[in-house]
Amino acid sequence: MKTDQNTIKIPESNILTVDKLTNYIKQSLESNSRLINIWVKGEISNFTHHNSGHLYFTLKDESSQIKCIMFNRSASSLKFEPEHGCKVLVLSSISIYKPYGNYQLIVSEMHPDGLGILHQKFLKLKERLEKEGLFSEEYKKSIPKFPKTIGIITSLTGAV
């Protein structure tokens, strides 16, 4: 047992390292048959087609999101080019990216499922603002070479 004046007494056998805990969670999730070869529907955001051929993206709906990776061997068989805002159906398995302890989906298949609702809302808002003239040249101002004042806008709970 470890003990000193500032710590509680905990048997060594009850203490896990971060690595051991992460390995346990990883093994538990990745061996759960309900989390292997599952179909998940969502909208793509933060899409990156890496020069290795791997696809990195976030799959989200109106209230949640999960990071995804589709390795080159699976991505090379896609019949369409995924992009930000696409609504898709993916066949995937849950995994833990051990260095950060983040869970993610490893995608083996991806099929288009229409244009995502969130992207459609964005396009409608953009169209409305364009009609109001908010993207016209008169609203655009050049940035001075030597600004006299710089402002930062944040919130009380922001991470800035």
Side-chain angles (χ1 to χ4, degrees), residues 3-58:
T3 183
D4 69 27
Q5 293 177 353
N6 298 322
T7 62
I8 58 174
K9 295 178 183 179
I10 302 171
E12 278 293 324
S13 61
N14 290 356
I15 300 173
L16 293 173
T17 63
V18 173
D19 184 61
K20 285 184 180 178
L21 176 60
T22 303
N23 278 332
Y24 179 79
I25 294 168
K26 181 176 174 65
Q27 181 182 3
S28 297
L29 285 175
E30 292 178 3
S31 64
N32 183 330
S33 61
R34 293 192 59 156
L35 299 175
I36 298 171
N37 290 325
I38 52 175
W39 288 99
V40 181
K41 181 188 251 187
E43 185 173 318
I44 292 177
S45 70
N46 304 317
F47 180 79
T48 302
H49 192 155
H50 193 268
N51 59 13
S52 65
H54 302 331
L55 308 181
Y56 298 93
F57 56 97
T58 301

Side-chain angles (χ1 to χ4, degrees), residues 69-123:
I69 181 170
M70 185 174 205
F71 293 112
N72 182 27
R73 66 181 177 274
S74 298
S76 63
S77 64
L78 284 174
K79 306 281 190 256
F80 74 106
E81 184 65 35
E83 59 185 30
H84 179 80
C86 283
K87 193 172 171 190
V88 293
L89 187 60
V90 299
L91 179 62
S92 57
S93 296
I94 198 82
S95 177
I96 296 286
Y97 182 62
K98 196 174 154 204
Y100 296 121
N102 295 337
Y103 71 97
Q104 63 185 3
L105 293 178
I106 305 296
V107 177
S108 55
E109 283 184 40
M110 183 186 311
H111 303 279
D113 194 37
L115 187 61
I117 292 170
L118 298 174
H119 191 64
Q120 288 175 5
K121 286 180 181 178
F122 166 75
L123 292 176

